[in-house]
């Protein structure tokens, strides 16, 4: 689904990316929301690329492929999975424990989600993923 750039949750995802994502070229942020409350936040986060470069780029891997060739591109560092992990950690010990069923994820900085992130979102029970209107043109590398 698509939302306008001024959507409050998309803006929160953007703020996460700009504040904490170390890679300027691919700043990506995500927030997990349920019932109008942000449960978790995350951003692409690994300093591997700054130290060693990106093996996927060096090897001309197509978008969304070859993550296994670069430690910095490991999906566990992707914004979506970081936001899910943060939400689950925050919910532990509450009545619903770490259940994210029915939550939504707002993603800024990408126009798609890799298979690994889709799988993580499905497993977590994420209902809908929201991208920014025009994301395909704006964020396509």
């Amino acid at each position: 689904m698509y939302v306008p750039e001024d959507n409050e949750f998309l803006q929160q995802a953007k703020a996460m990316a700009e504040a904490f994502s170390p890679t300027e070229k691919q700043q990506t942020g995500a927030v997990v929301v349920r019932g109008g409350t942000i449960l978790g936040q995350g951003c692409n986060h690994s300093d591997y690329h700054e130290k060693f470069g990106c093996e996927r780029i060096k090897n001309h891997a197509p978008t969304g492929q070859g993550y296994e060739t670069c430690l910095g591109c490991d999906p566990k560092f992707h914004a979506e999975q970081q936001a899910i992990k943060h939400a689950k950690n925050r919910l532990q010990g509450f009545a619903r424990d770490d259940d994210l069923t029915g939550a939504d994820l707002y993603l800024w900085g990408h126009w798609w989600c890799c298979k690994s992130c889709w799988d993580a979102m499905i497993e977590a029970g994420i209902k809908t993923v929201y991208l920014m209107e025009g994301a395909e043109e704006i964020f396509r590398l």
Side-chain angles (χ1 to χ4, degrees):
M1 303 288 291
Y2 293 95
V3 294
E5 185 175 1
D6 64 354
N7 174 280
E8 68 176 296
F9 299 121
L10 191 63
Q11 284 298 305
Q12 193 65 28
K14 179 181 180 180
M16 275 299 297
E18 291 177 344
F20 300 108
S21 190
T23 305
E24 285 186 34
K25 182 178 181 183
Q26 192 75 30
Q27 288 182 324
T28 306
V31 295
V32 175
V33 178
R34 184 172 55 211
T37 300
I38 294 175
L39 303 177
Q41 304 176 77
C43 64
N44 281 8
H45 190 79
S46 170
D47 62 358
Y48 182 89
H49 293 137
E50 282 67 40
K51 291 179 180 178
F52 307 105
C54 179
E55 302 305 322
R56 290 180 58 247
I57 290 173
K58 290 177 189 175
N59 294 319
H60 307 289
T63 299
Q65 297 179 20
Y67 290 120
E68 70 281 356
T69 66
C70 180
L71 292 176
C73 292
D74 190 306
K76 71 181 176 188
F77 297 123
H78 291 187
E80 302 95 320
Q81 294 194 39
Q82 290 290 310
I84 290 168
K85 180 180 177 182
H86 182 234
K88 286 184 171 197
N89 287 341
R90 288 184 65 209
L91 290 174
Q92 285 183 345
F94 289 95
R96 294 187 73 174
D97 206 20
D98 66 351
D99 181 18
L100 299 179
T101 300
D104 298 318
L105 187 137
Y106 291 78
L107 181 64
W108 185 89
H110 267 318
W111 58 275
W112 56 272
C113 301
C114 72
K115 181 179 179 344
S116 180
C117 287
W118 276 117
D119 290 346
M121 289 184 287
I122 291 167
E123 182 179 323
I126 298 294
K127 180 179 72 170
T128 305
V129 176
Y130 292 96
L131 304 172
M132 185 174 78
E133 290 174 344
E136 186 172 348
E137 293 80 33
I138 295 166
F139 299 120
R140 185 177 288 236
L141 293 176

